[in-house]
Amino acid sequence: MKKVCSPLAESIEESPSKIQVKLQALMNHTAERIIKIIDAEIVQQMNTNDYTELVLLSSWGMDGSTGYSQYHQALSMPNQKDDSDVFSVTTTPIQLYYQNNKKSILWHNLTPQSIRFCRPIMLEFIKESKEMVLNTKRYIENQISELVPVKIQSSNGEFVLVDFIFVMSMIDGKVLNYVTDTSSISNCPICGATPNVMSDIQKLEAGYESNEDALHCGISPLHAWMRFFECLLHISYRMEIKKWKITMDLKAKFLDRKKLVTEKLYEAFGVRVDQPRAGGAGTSTTGNVCRKAFSNPELLSKVLDIDEDLIVRFRNILIVINCQDPINPKKMDDYCKETYRRYIKLYDWYKIPATVHKVLAHAGSIIIHSPAPLGMLAEEAAECQHKLLKKCRTHHARKRSRVDNLHDVFIRAMNSSDPLRSSINLGSRMRKKVSHEYPDVVKSLLVFEDLYSSENVNTEDNALDELMDDVEQLDDDFALGENVENE
């Protein structure tokens, strides 16, 4: 049974420092397993005169991680220093729909941010760098351009033809800067604006010119939680001095305020923030820490001494971009721009960070260029997989050679992400998951609700058509700059 959960062994290339699977073989296997999930529905709707042509939409991305165990084995490459850094490329299937009718979705991933659906494409012992990112991007895009549709036989003997579409959205801000050739992490990767330009209210009203290629890369919702929270933290650290740049004469006052704020956050929320981790693996400010802090805006406002309405607005925006429901681009853009203006009005002395600017200034455009809801194209699954890979390499992989060790890690990740296997008891698992109701403001920014919940999997096609027509109309109105009236 494990053998059928991954592509054929012939499609996997192995070496002591790198393992990868051919993208065509991986996507063929993924499509075949998804067809098995919805076989009964396909048989019922299939046109027996010719092929049923489908399209599988998937997100993909790459990321580097550190902190892996180092073993007493010879290194295969002269320039390879150790095996503590791993660079991974992953993909997640999002939706399967008819090629001639994108509104008719046959299958959609109910948990796109779960590692159960995050399939590995490549693992390599190498440190993440700009050169590595750009070379990998070219390599994967070449494979994507060479993909051919796969013909899959259903249980009634008829065939379906599945084509593939990819969107590179499972990336963080660093990778996006490399891809867009952004000169500084302080600059916006979409419009190239510098901190001074981003803090200019007149430039906001005039509008920013966007790089369309960057708009297709999504919004990185998980990292947005951390960047927005860090923005509030650094405003609070500077609340007494009210200056963006910390000079030597202000450093002692800044550090005293920072210590006070972090202690108050620990007392109020039980979280330790802004503390470096061992081995240089980031800080203690994780996504879960940020979500916990934003869960109580009133208390967070008192601890940080920051405007509560701004915190509530930040929280609402973060919830919207992380949800898996379609978003109204016009309403979202207006709400973000209003939040932007409030930020500049209250804290113009602290230059707005690039990620906060990207979300507030470009959210509407990103939504229009996104083929699926922003929350479905997030990078959380790839980030979570790093922990799984570390655990598997230590406890569930052979250590007699680097090839066997990397092979066991890769195959285990491949088996655990098999769509058919991961869909078993999925509805039961989702019902056990604790969920919270959206705030009223968040609901007003969504086009419709609960389309992707487990209770509404069998939505009527005619109702779905009407709703998707509304989405397209809103997109057209937003693109033309027209005013959309509320029903």
Side-chain angles (χ1 to χ4, degrees):
M1 292 306 295
K2 285 186 177 180
K3 290 182 179 179
V4 301
C5 291
S6 60
L8 296 176
E10 294 78 13
S11 63
I12 299 176
E13 303 173 359
E14 303 179 17
S15 72
S17 61
K18 181 179 180 180
I19 184 170
Q20 61 183 348
V21 62
K22 295 179 181 177
L23 190 60
Q24 182 74 66
L26 176 62
M27 298 315 300
N28 289 354
H29 178 268
T30 302
E32 290 171 1
R33 303 296 278 178
I34 292 175
I35 293 299
K36 286 184 179 294
I37 299 173
I38 57 173
D39 183 77
E41 186 175 352
I42 286 182
V43 170
Q44 182 180 0
Q45 299 183 15
M46 184 175 291
N47 182 355
T48 58
N49 295 326
D50 54 8
Y51 296 132
T52 299
E53 298 182 358
L54 308 175
V55 174
L56 177 60
L57 170 67
S58 302
S59 61
W60 77 279
M62 47 191 154
D63 191 24
S65 59
T66 61
Y68 285 79
S69 301
Q70 299 184 55
Y71 301 133
H72 298 289
Q73 296 169 340
L75 299 172
S76 60
M77 297 173 60
N79 60 345
Q80 188 177 5
K81 296 181 179 180
D82 56 44
D83 53 358
S84 62
D85 299 311
V86 169
F87 186 79
S88 62
V89 182
T90 55
T91 182
T92 300
I94 302 297
Q95 291 177 346
L96 183 70
Y97 54 84
Y98 287 103
Q99 191 173 44
N100 57 357
N101 185 6
K102 295 182 180 180
K103 303 171 187 176
S104 184
I105 300 174
L106 275 172
W107 176 88
H108 59 264
N109 193 339
L110 295 175
T111 56
Q113 299 315 310
S114 169
I115 57 175
R116 292 176 179 267
F117 289 90
C118 186
R119 315 214 73 184
I121 300 175
M122 183 184 76
L123 295 178
E124 183 173 1
F125 288 121
I126 193 170
K127 190 175 182 62
E128 180 183 359
S129 63
K130 182 176 182 178
E131 182 183 4
M132 183 65 186
V133 168
L134 296 179
N135 290 339
T136 303
K137 180 176 180 291
R138 284 192 293 268
Y139 174 71
I140 297 298
E141 287 181 343
N142 286 338
Q143 289 199 66
I144 292 175
S145 64
E146 296 173 357
L147 287 177
V148 296
V150 57
K151 187 168 66 173
I152 303 173
Q153 188 175 19
S154 61
S155 60
N156 68 344
E158 301 295 335
F159 289 92
V160 295
L161 201 64
V162 181
D163 202 357
F164 307 102
I165 293 179
F166 285 84
V167 54
M168 190 182 71
S169 62
M170 298 170 62
I171 57 175
D172 56 17
K174 188 195 301 185
V175 173
L176 182 59
N177 285 339
Y178 290 155
V179 171
T180 57
D181 197 23
T182 303
S183 58
S184 171
I185 60 173
S186 300
N187 297 349
C188 176
I190 293 180
C191 63
T194 62
N196 288 330
V197 174
M198 289 188 286
S199 300
D200 188 351
I201 187 66
Q202 295 181 353
K203 184 62 178 176
L204 173 66
E205 301 301 339
Y208 297 93
E209 295 183 3
S210 301
N211 177 358
E212 188 169 344
D213 292 335
L215 293 174
H216 289 286
C217 293
I219 210 164
S220 302
L222 173 63
H223 286 82
W225 280 105
M226 294 183 281
R227 301 292 91 83
F228 272 69
F229 183 63
E230 288 173 353
C231 174
L232 296 177
L233 280 181
H234 286 276
I235 291 175
S236 183
Y237 296 161
R238 295 164 170 79
M239 194 57 70
E240 295 180 357
I241 57 180
K242 289 184 170 54
K243 288 186 178 180
W244 181 52
K245 188 174 182 179
I246 305 299
T247 56
M248 289 300 297
D249 58 319
L250 300 174
K251 190 172 183 179
K253 200 171 186 178
F254 169 81
L255 293 176
D256 290 341
R257 171 72 181 176
K258 178 179 178 180
K259 182 179 179 182
L260 176 64
V261 170
T262 54
E263 289 176 351
K264 289 171 113 180
L265 280 170
Y266 181 71
E267 294 174 1
F269 295 96
V271 295
R272 301 186 185 277
V273 302
D274 221 358
Q275 296 184 2
R277 287 178 172 178
T283 68
S284 59
T285 309
T286 63
N288 288 331
V289 167
C290 299
R291 282 187 281 260
K292 186 173 183 179
F294 274 111
S295 64
N296 191 338
E298 182 179 0
L299 180 58
L300 184 61
S301 173
K302 292 179 180 178
V303 171
L304 300 182
D305 192 22
I306 290 180
D307 180 63
E308 183 180 349
D309 182 61
L310 181 65
I311 296 177
V312 171
R313 284 179 166 274
F314 275 10
R315 178 174 180 263
N316 290 336
I317 291 170
L318 291 168
I319 292 174
V320 170
I321 64 176
N322 277 273
C323 74
Q324 297 174 23
D325 295 317
I327 307 167
N328 185 319
K330 182 66 171 63
K331 290 183 179 180
M332 182 65 173
D333 188 73
D334 291 342
Y335 189 80
C336 288
K337 294 288 178 60
E338 187 178 347
T339 304
Y340 205 134
R341 297 185 190 97
R342 185 169 185 82
Y343 177 96
I344 295 177
K345 179 181 178 182
L346 294 174
Y347 308 109
D348 60 334
W349 46 266
Y350 184 75
K351 300 186 186 302
I352 191 165
T355 300
V356 179
H357 161 83
K358 180 181 77 170
V359 175
L360 297 185
H362 303 289
S365 299
I366 294 175
I367 292 168
I368 289 178
H369 287 79
S370 176
L374 297 180
M376 299 189 73
L377 301 174
E379 77 285 16
E380 187 168 355
E383 294 288 341
C384 293
Q385 197 182 57
H386 294 320
K387 295 181 181 178
L388 179 66
L389 295 178
K390 290 178 183 178
K391 181 179 178 181
C392 290
R393 185 163 184 257
T394 304
H395 301 289
H396 301 287
R398 292 168 291 174
K399 311 202 176 39
R400 65 187 185 188
S401 72
R402 290 186 179 276
V403 174
D404 290 341
N405 185 255
L406 204 53
H407 172 87
D408 292 346
V409 173
F410 189 81
I411 294 301
R412 191 177 182 90
M414 187 70 72
N415 293 344
S416 64
S417 62
D418 173 43
L420 179 58
R421 178 177 181 268
S422 300
S423 298
I424 298 174
N425 293 329
L426 179 59
S428 175
R429 295 200 306 270
M430 291 187 64
R431 285 191 292 270
K432 292 178 182 178
K433 186 177 179 180
V434 178
S435 60
H436 303 280
E437 187 177 359
Y438 290 146
D440 291 338
V441 174
V442 172
K443 291 180 181 179
S444 69
L445 299 176
L446 301 178
V447 176
F448 54 91
E449 305 168 32
D450 299 332
L451 174 62
Y452 300 104
S453 67
S454 58
E455 298 176 357
N456 293 315
V457 174
N458 296 321
T459 307
E460 293 295 334
D461 288 342
N462 57 350
L464 182 59
D465 290 346
E466 294 176 2
L467 290 169
M468 295 309 293
D469 285 339
D470 292 340
V471 177
E472 292 181 355
Q473 183 61 46
L474 287 167
D475 289 351
D476 293 340
D477 292 340
F478 180 79
L480 295 173
E482 298 177 359
N483 296 322
V484 182
E485 296 182 355
N486 297 328
E487 289 188 305

